[in-house]
Structures are given as C-alpha cells and as structure tokens.
Amino acid sequence: MDFLSLWLTSFLFVMVFLTALWVLSVFLKNASIIDPFWGFGFVLIALFSIYMTGNLHARSLLVTVLVSVWGLRLSTYLFFRNLGHGEDYRYQQFRKDFGEQRYWWVSFFQVFLLQGVIMSVVSIPLLTVYANIEQSELGVADFALSLLWLIGFIFEAGGDFQLSRFKRKAENKGKVMNIGFWRYTRHPNYFGNSVIWWALGWLGIINGSIISLISPILMTFLLVKVSGVGLLERTLKQSKPHYADYIKNTSAFFPWLPKQNS
C-alpha cells in the first residue's frame, strides 16, 4: 500500500473512532473526553498501519514501540487526571460561546474532526515508515533518535509525574511548581512532547521521506503558540499571583538555568 492510500485509510479509520467518541460526548455533555484519546489514537494508527501493510521490518517495529509507550502513557495519565472533574474549562467556555443548543453538533467539527485532521498530519512520519516495505536495517541514526525520543519521554512523563505529586499536597494549593524539571523550563511536559515528535519525524526522514518534518513542526507550533504554552499561561497568570515572577526567572520552553533574583 502506498503512502497516500495508507494516509487516507488511516484517517477514515480514526474518524470512525472519533465519531463514536463524539456521540458519547453528546450523551455525557462532556467534549473533553477527547483529551485522553489523543495519545491512544496514534497507537491505533500504528497498529492499523501494520495490519494494512503487513510491514514488520525493524524500523516499523521500533516506531510502533516508541509510539505505543508514549501514547498509552499519555492517555492513561490524562484519563486519571480528568476522571471525576467534569468538562474542562476550555470546552465549557466554547459551550457558552456557541450556546448549549448548538454546541452538540458544533463540537464535532470544532473538536473531534479538527483533532482527527491534526492527528493525521502529525502521524505522517509513522505512515511513511509503515508504507515503505523495503526498509534498510537499523543503524546508528535509529539508535541516536531513539535516545532523543527517550530524553523527550523523560521530560514529558517526569514533568507530569512531578506536577501531579505537587498538586496532591494541600499545602501547595495556589503555589507555583518550580522544582525538578519545572525549575529549568516552565513546560517540561510540552518540551518533552515536542522532542518526541522531532525524534519520530527524523526517523521518517532517514526512512526517505522529507515530508515527515511537517509533523514535528506542526506539533511544536501547536504546543508553543496554540493549545499549549500560550493558552495555559494566560490562565495561570490570572490564577497564580506569583506566576509572573516564575516567568521572569524560568525559560518558557527549552530547558535552561533559572535566573537569579536580584
């Protein structure tokens, strides 16, 4: 199966799941159930692609393992983080803006279809690997990029773990998380996520597909400018009075030594 056919087929496959999830969200009146599906959706794409192509070459298996570990970890974390908290404030605001009577169908296009499109673009490096049934053996570049993926995974998973543990302590309510990974970057989880997709994007490159760089470029842009750093910090500036000082002293995205207060 060629890349374009695999890409279109996987998009339709994912949209079947997202449509079913949308129906459930309408019933529950909770569009944020889409969030835990993000990582798991890429696992489905990987397994579906292997099924469709029968590609069991070493690089295909490597990509599948990396994506599955990342996706299952992220989805599990988001599922338990959101469990029992109702609809996320972002979707509540959308519901108010569009009106309760309209948002049930607007959410399909604004949330579920949009996420399916983004997921399909971000998954390009994976699909280029699966579509290539004449792959070379794993080399130094594959192992180097796997190490880069591991660094990203440690930042993302480690940052999530540290923040979760910080929030569980009652004495930290209203305080700014500025220890561990969070001492060197205000968003270690977003930075780690970006690194993971740069590693996967370059795995697509060494597999012979230059379009694989679309994925990490798009992911980094979304994390920094759209749904990640920018959106979250607008809220944190209002809810945490000391966050402005944290911004002055700590790198926004790339890890760096914190500035010393004068």
Side-chain angles (χ1 to χ4, degrees), residues 1 6-7 9-15 17 37-72 119-120 122-132 135 149 197 200 203:
M1 177 177 284
L6 181 59
W7 186 86
T9 307
S10 67
F11 173 71
L12 294 175
F13 172 74
V14 167
M15 283 311 304
F17 280 88
F37 181 80
W38 174 253
F40 183 64
F42 289 99
V43 180
L44 289 180
I45 290 175
L47 297 178
F48 176 77
S49 298
I50 286 181
Y51 172 77
M52 293 299 294
T53 62
N55 191 337
L56 295 176
H57 287 289
R59 187 170 294 119
S60 297
L61 296 178
L62 173 63
V63 165
T64 303
V65 170
L66 297 182
V67 168
S68 297
V69 171
W70 166 78
L72 293 175
M119 190 177 294
S120 295
V122 173
S123 67
I124 285 177
L126 318 181
L127 301 181
T128 59
V129 172
Y130 294 125
N132 183 2
Q135 297 176 25
W149 175 93
W197 283 101
L200 293 172
L203 278 171

Side-chain angles (χ1 to χ4, degrees), residues 154-170:
I154 290 172
F155 266 90
E156 183 186 57
D160 284 341
F161 173 75
Q162 290 173 348
L163 183 61
S164 177
R165 187 173 60 177
F166 181 83
K167 287 183 173 180
R168 283 199 297 266
K169 297 180 180 180

Side-chain angles (χ1 to χ4, degrees), residues 128-142:
T128 59
V129 172
Y130 294 125
N132 183 2
I133 61 174
E134 297 181 355
Q135 297 176 25
S136 60
E137 296 298 320
L138 296 182
V140 174
D142 295 278

Side-chain angles (χ1 to χ4, degrees), residues 28-258:
L28 297 175
K29 294 185 178 181
N30 185 352
S32 59
I33 64 173
I34 185 70
D35 291 344
F37 181 80
W38 174 253
F40 183 64
F42 289 99
V43 180
L44 289 180
I45 290 175
L47 297 178
F48 176 77
S49 298
I50 286 181
Y51 172 77
M52 293 299 294
T53 62
N55 191 337
L56 295 176
H57 287 289
R59 187 170 294 119
S60 297
L61 296 178
L62 173 63
V63 165
T64 303
V65 170
L66 297 182
V67 168
S68 297
V69 171
W70 166 78
L72 293 175
R73 199 288 311 177
L74 180 60
S75 287
T76 301
Y77 168 75
L78 292 176
F79 175 80
F80 285 105
R81 188 193 69 175
N82 297 349
L83 189 63
H85 291 287
E87 189 172 50
D88 186 86
Y89 73 93
R90 295 167 297 165
Y91 303 102
Q92 290 182 22
Q93 187 60 51
F94 292 146
R95 199 175 290 277
K96 291 179 182 179
D97 293 341
F98 289 100
E100 188 68 41
Q101 300 302 315
R102 286 199 305 154
Y103 194 63
W104 70 272
W105 62 264
V106 170
S107 64
F108 176 76
F109 298 96
Q110 184 210 32
V111 179
F112 293 84
L113 178 59
L114 177 61
Q115 181 145 316
V117 172
I118 295 174
M119 190 177 294
S120 295
V121 174
V122 173
S123 67
I124 285 177
L126 318 181
L127 301 181
T128 59
V129 172
Y130 294 125
N132 183 2
I133 61 174
E134 297 181 355
Q135 297 176 25
S136 60
E137 296 298 320
L138 296 182
V140 174
D142 295 278
F143 294 107
L145 290 171
S146 297
L147 178 59
L148 180 64
W149 175 93
L150 180 60
I151 293 172
F153 184 79
I154 290 172
F155 266 90
E156 183 186 57
D160 284 341
F161 173 75
Q162 290 173 348
L163 183 61
S164 177
R165 187 173 60 177
F166 181 83
K167 287 183 173 180
R168 283 199 297 266
K169 297 180 180 180
E171 63 268 26
N172 291 330
K173 186 174 182 180
K175 294 182 178 180
V176 175
M177 172 66 168
N178 60 356
I179 57 177
F181 289 120
W182 302 82
R183 174 176 168 80
Y184 304 100
T185 164
R186 303 201 298 269
H187 302 279
N189 46 357
Y190 293 154
F191 168 75
N193 194 311
S194 176
V195 171
I196 283 170
W197 283 101
W198 276 103
L200 293 172
W202 278 103
L203 278 171
I205 290 291
I206 66 175
N207 197 63
S209 177
I210 189 66
I211 64 171
S212 293
L213 284 186
I214 293 174
S215 171
I217 291 172
L218 174 62
M219 180 62 78
T220 304
F221 174 76
L222 292 174
L223 289 170
V224 175
K225 296 296 185 180
V226 184
S227 61
V229 174
L231 179 63
L232 182 59
E233 292 206 333
R234 283 194 293 272
T235 302
L236 290 174
K237 288 176 184 177
Q238 299 175 0
S239 62
K240 295 184 183 295
H242 297 294
Y243 200 79
D245 292 330
Y246 181 56
I247 289 177
K248 292 178 183 178
N249 298 326
T250 310
S251 173
F253 194 70
F254 294 100
W256 196 250
L257 293 175

